[in-house]
Amino acid sequence: MNNPNSEINTSQHHGNDNNKSTCPVIQAQGIKKVFEEGDLNVEVLKGIDLTIEVGEQIAIVGASGSGKSTLMHIIGGLDDPSSGQVYIDGNNLFSLQDKKRAQLRNRFLGFVYQFHHLLPEFTALENVAMPLLIQGDKPAIASAAALSILEKVGLKERSNHKPAEMSGGERQRAAIARSLVANPACVLADEPTGNLDSKTADMVYSIMLDLNRDLKTSFVVVTHDYHLAKKMDRVLTIKDGMLQEL
Ligand SMILES: Nc1ncnc2c1ncn2[C@@H]1O[C@H](COP(=O)(O)OP(=O)(O)OP(=O)(O)O)[C@@H](O)[C@H]1O
Ligand SMILES: [Mg+2]
């Protein structure tokens, strides 16, 4: 963490380690977020510190509007905080130029958005293969990996469908497959099973737990499902702009 330089720090990495290292995957310090609405300033996050270790599973619960998605976007580098810092594998995310920041995100993080954000003009297979294509994998390799993970989430038969031709739950599973395909160090999932029946949700979580066990993938999952939250290493909640351990 002592090296918040402007280049991506890969010094902790060793060989073909699939993006895993020993320093915290994500460390957020003093995160504040103020939304300005006309004359009104709404302070949604009031100084949040959060460290996510390699292999850690964290659930974030909390009332609607409490700032869960806002926090996820900031620790995932999708939105800037009003103040505070985020380090991804020791790299100061907000000191990097956009291109380097995108590279770091693509390499270390998988993101499942609250609203799936699949690209409408591409098939499920192409959507899932996208993170691998962006990082420069050959199309045949990316497609094979995408098909394999689509099969795991039960979508092999839908791989050539575009999002508009899929159900809400199928889209959500495709988005989950996309977040996992590049074997990220940490998956940030914002209500990933909100549209799924309990059996399908359990299937998705068992895939996540397998990855956690086999590859030490860290997970931060926003959920309203306390049954699931209790299975994670830590349960956090956001209340009055602050993070609390439950
Ligand atoms: N771009 C924005 N501009 C202004 N206010 C915003 C913006 N994004 C979020 N907010 C406000 O910040 C607060 C937190 O929103 P956020 O989406 O983080 O909540 P949440 O905890 O994810 O809620 P939910 O459980 O409903 O998804 C809300 O009051 C929301 O209105
Ligand atoms: Mg939300």
Side-chain angles (χ1 to χ4, degrees):
M1 302 311 303
N2 300 323
N3 190 16
N5 52 22
S6 59
E7 294 297 312
I8 294 176
N9 168 16
T10 55
S11 59
Q12 290 93 345
H13 288 272
H14 35 84
N16 183 21
D17 62 356
N18 293 321
N19 300 334
K20 307 299 189 295
S21 88
T22 49
C23 68
V25 214
I26 300 180
Q27 190 159 40
Q29 295 173 341
I31 300 298
K32 294 188 181 174
K33 182 71 177 178
V34 180
F35 288 113
E36 289 170 25
E37 289 175 53
D39 292 341
L40 198 68
N41 282 348
V42 184
E43 194 176 22
V44 176
L45 305 177
K46 298 183 178 172
I48 283 184
D49 298 320
L50 175 62
T51 300
I52 299 151
E53 302 289 352
V54 173
E56 205 173 19
Q57 308 162 18
I58 297 176
I60 299 183
V61 300
S64 179
S66 59
K68 304 180 297 296
S69 294
T70 304
L71 178 64
M72 294 287 271
H73 292 160
I74 290 171
I75 63 178
L78 301 165
D79 193 8
D80 289 343
S82 305
S83 62
Q85 297 300 336
V86 175
Y87 298 89
I88 306 282
D89 194 47
N91 297 279
N92 186 339
L93 193 56
F94 300 114
S95 75
L96 296 174
Q97 289 172 339
D98 286 354
K99 196 175 158 208
K100 286 251 179 326
R101 195 202 285 199
Q103 276 176 358
L104 190 67
R105 275 210 327 255
N106 196 52
R107 182 131 60 94
F108 286 95
L109 305 180
F111 214 101
V112 187
Y113 301 86
Q114 187 166 14
F115 306 101
H116 59 81
H117 288 300
L118 296 170
L119 299 169
E121 65 272 34
F122 292 100
T123 65
L125 185 77
E126 290 162 342
N127 267 286
V128 174
M130 203 65 76
L132 297 176
L133 293 172
I134 290 170
Q135 72 181 29
D137 284 2
K138 292 210 168 76
I141 290 175
S143 291
L147 195 59
S148 155
I149 191 99
L150 279 166
E151 189 169 12
K152 276 195 183 170
V153 298
L155 283 185
K156 195 176 166 208
E157 312 303 324
R158 293 285 177 277
S159 56
N160 289 320
H161 287 228
K162 292 183 178 169
E165 304 155 355
M166 295 160 71
S167 75
E170 286 170 346
R171 280 179 223 152
Q172 213 162 13
R173 279 184 280 155
I176 290 161
R178 179 184 56 186
S179 79
L180 301 175
V181 75
N183 181 23
C186 184
V187 175
L188 301 170
D190 197 347
E191 297 194 49
T193 56
N195 286 323
L196 304 182
D197 61 84
S198 61
K199 193 169 156 226
T200 313
D202 282 350
M203 178 181 87
V204 165
Y205 283 113
S206 73
I207 295 168
M208 289 187 180
L209 291 177
D210 285 351
L211 285 171
N212 176 261
R213 191 189 54 230
D214 298 342
L215 299 172
K216 288 195 145 217
T217 308
S218 307
F219 285 92
V220 184
V221 180
V222 172
T223 181
H224 290 286
D225 180 349
Y226 280 85
H227 176 68
L228 160 74
K230 279 195 303 198
K231 292 187 192 164
M232 314 284 274
D233 296 328
R234 288 161 74 195
V235 184
L236 306 174
T237 188
I238 302 179
K239 195 153 179 284
D240 300 328
M242 296 300 287
L243 209 53
Q244 298 173 0
E245 201 106 15
L246 284 184

